Amino acid sequence: MNRVYLDNAATTPLTNEVIEAMVASMKEQYGNPSSTHSIGQEAKTKIEEVRRLVANALKVQPGEIVFTSCGTESNNMIIKSCVEHLEVERIITSPLEHKCVAETCLDMKKRKGVELVYLRPNEKGDLDLNKLEELLKSSEKKTLVTLMHVNNEIGNIYDIERIAKLCKEYNALYHSDTVQTVAHIDLDFSKIPVDFASCSAHKFHGPKGTGFAFVRKSTGLKALITGGPQERSLRAGTENVCGIVGLGKALELSLDHMKEYSEHMQEIKDYAIERLSEKIQGVKFNGRSAEKEHSLYTLLSVLLPYKNPLLGLQLDMKGIAISQGSACSSGAGKPSMVMMSILDEDEMDVCTPMRVSFSHLTTREEIDVLVNALLEIESIDKNN
Ligand code: PLP
């Protein structure tokens, strides 16, 4: 059975160049980067090369990049450290955030008594930034705003520049979860005054278990994982050298091909919208997913006009991998927070959400296979 992989927002396959770079690193840079001998220092040099590459891509200082084990760790580190070390007493967030942000904010409320304020989206998943301004104005408490750049379930793009400027104006710290956007959108943090951002290598054909946090130096954020002085004392622990090398290679390839890859994915996404709209009567697209200017080209959030909780499983049996929400909530068997925030209950009772997400490797033929499979499943279900 030929397999069709359309779950690239959950994770992407490693490319051969990344695997080769990682294998070479495992063989050659086996030294401990903290060792002072030359074998250790060769590993250290490799890490610093990647740090410079990342910093150049984001137009920040190399010392502002902290390598971590994943996007989840980066988000945890930033939010928890803001509360523990920067005296944040209030967090403004939204119900659209990834679980690793949502749960961390709740944890800070429960354990540290932080006031948690939610900016509610409308049915399109838009956030009202005038309301954000009112919230920022309304309290003297030291505030952290944590709002993602692109939503991982519906693909909506949020106005990172305007949010950053508002946060600066009202003296709030701003964290943007950029896990879905690093390597997919050009980010220039010398112009956007965001304080913190996060990245995960496996979202752009790099290895799982490697990411980084951008921490603007002026914030004075401190380590959450303490121990040795690695990562300029911001994250203790012997570095994952080959993972960092893999992240660097994957980022380099994505940056080199960003125009070509983004055009390809947008073309595939347009084709998916066209084919689904043509073949499935009553199909809808969630949030701003089908709008080019307001959503990322990497994913399409579909609302099928019938209820089928087994859809993911049925597609899987046909060799097609899609997701019915984010990978972190799809095992939960209930609609995700994102869907509950933007769809009304009646709609959720009679419809099925499906996330189709692309990479530069996705083909039109794979979209055809998906659409045909959906038609087959629909007709079997109707006849039963
Ligand atoms: N934030 C967003 C928006 C994500 O999509 C994900 C992964 O799905 C994460 C954070 C977590 O990243 P990681 O899988 O590296 O922990």
Side-chain angles (χ1 to χ4, degrees):
M1 179 165 56
N2 274 343
R3 303 179 88 184
V4 171
Y5 188 71
L6 294 169
D7 200 14
N8 292 280
T11 196
T12 49
L14 290 159
T15 49
N16 287 338
E17 289 99 322
V18 172
I19 295 172
E20 280 158 23
M22 289 179 72
V23 170
S25 172
M26 279 185 224
K27 288 182 184 165
E28 290 157 24
Q29 288 107 39
Y30 57 85
N32 186 324
S34 297
S35 299
T36 49
H37 50 64
S38 50
I39 295 176
Q41 287 308 294
E42 278 164 31
K44 175 86 180 150
T45 304
K46 251 324 194 219
I47 294 176
E48 294 315 311
E49 258 175 51
V50 179
R51 199 188 309 282
R52 279 195 298 279
L53 173 91
V54 172
N56 285 341
L58 301 181
K59 315 258 182 331
V60 299
Q61 297 300 315
E64 295 178 312
I65 301 300
V66 182
F67 290 115
T68 63
S69 68
C70 57
T72 297
E73 185 193 321
S74 304
N75 288 336
N76 264 264
M77 169 197 175
I78 292 163
I79 297 167
K80 288 183 176 158
S81 187
C82 274
V83 174
E84 300 209 358
H85 304 295
L86 302 185
E87 280 135 33
V88 161
E89 300 167 293
R90 181 178 182 243
I91 299 178
I92 302 177
T93 185
S94 95
L96 303 173
E97 298 302 307
H98 188 270
K99 242 180 166 3
C100 67
V101 168
E103 290 295 321
T104 306
C105 289
L106 278 171
D107 184 45
M108 290 296 93
K109 179 181 167 173
K110 272 189 223 141
R111 288 196 301 117
K112 301 283 173 183
V114 169
E115 183 189 344
L116 206 50
V117 186
Y118 290 94
L119 202 56
R120 304 272 164 202
N122 67 10
E123 73 293 347
K124 285 283 179 194
D126 302 324
L127 294 174
D128 180 349
L129 298 190
N130 294 327
K131 176 78 188 152
L132 173 64
E133 184 166 12
E134 273 172 35
L135 289 172
L136 286 168
K137 254 189 221 169
S138 69
S139 171
E140 291 296 307
K141 285 185 183 169
K142 177 95 185 180
T143 299
L144 168 71
V145 172
T146 174
L147 292 172
M148 68 205 319
H149 187 199
V150 162
N151 184 272
N152 51 302
E153 285 187 51
I154 53 177
N156 281 28
I157 303 175
Y158 297 97
D159 192 344
I160 189 170
E161 278 190 63
R162 188 160 164 228
I163 299 171
K165 284 181 186 147
L166 282 173
C167 290
K168 279 296 122 276
E169 197 179 330
Y170 294 97
N171 214 15
L173 290 164
Y174 175 31
H175 162 231
S176 175
D177 176 351
T178 50
V179 165
Q180 291 290 338
T181 46
V182 171
H184 295 297
I185 291 187
D186 209 9
L187 290 167
D188 181 349
F189 291 159
S190 71
K191 299 213 173 86
I192 306 169
V194 59
D195 293 300
F196 313 106
S198 42
C199 163
S200 178
H202 72 95
K203 305 292 182 181
F204 50 92
H205 307 279
K208 289 158 193 64
T210 315
F212 66 79
F214 160 66
V215 175
R216 205 175 283 283
K217 208 170 168 198
S218 55
T219 59
L221 199 84
K222 293 197 174 66
L224 202 65
I225 299 178
T226 48
Q230 291 93 348
E231 297 300 298
R232 292 169 175 79
S233 294
L234 272 169
R235 199 257 187 190
T238 302
E239 301 87 335
N240 173 5
V241 183
C242 74
I244 293 171
V245 167
L247 180 153
K249 181 46 92 182
L251 183 63
E252 184 189 315
L253 290 167
S254 301
L255 296 175
D256 286 352
H257 298 280
M258 196 183 273
K259 185 168 183 301
E260 173 200 333
Y261 287 177
S262 59
E263 283 172 4
H264 174 77
M265 281 182 253
Q266 185 64 57
E267 201 256 324
I268 294 286
K269 180 171 167 174
D270 291 344
Y271 182 66
I273 294 171
E274 185 192 305
R275 293 289 292 154
L276 289 163
S277 308
E278 207 176 277
K279 295 285 177 188
I280 301 177
Q281 250 197 4
V283 73
K284 286 186 193 163
F285 302 102
N286 298 309
R288 300 274 171 204
S289 202
E291 298 172 34
K292 225 179 237 179
E293 291 76 39
H294 302 292
S295 73
L296 195 61
Y297 53 83
T298 50
L299 76 95
L300 179 65
S301 177
V302 183
L303 194 65
L304 295 165
Y306 49 81
K307 187 81 188 159
N308 183 357
L310 295 179
L311 183 76
L313 192 66
Q314 289 168 325
L315 286 172
D316 190 34
M317 285 164 70
K318 291 177 180 290
I320 303 166
I322 54 102
S323 164
Q324 288 194 260
S326 84
C328 298
S329 58
S330 52
K334 55 178 187 174
S336 70
M337 268 304 278
V338 175
M339 289 304 155
M340 288 200 284
S341 309
I342 63 167
L343 298 178
D344 62 43
E345 262 177 50
D346 295 347
E347 216 161 17
M348 279 195 294
D349 283 347
V350 292
C351 294
T352 307
M354 170 179 84
R355 180 182 74 180
V356 189
S357 50
F358 319 105
S359 83
H360 64 279
L361 304 167
T362 312
T363 63
R364 278 176 170 240
E365 289 69 36
E366 289 178 309
I367 302 299
D368 290 337
V369 173
L370 170 69
V371 175
N372 289 336
L374 287 171
L375 292 174
E376 270 174 40
I377 291 168
E378 198 185 340
S379 79
I380 293 168
D381 281 357
K382 263 188 197 151
N383 293 331
N384 279 339

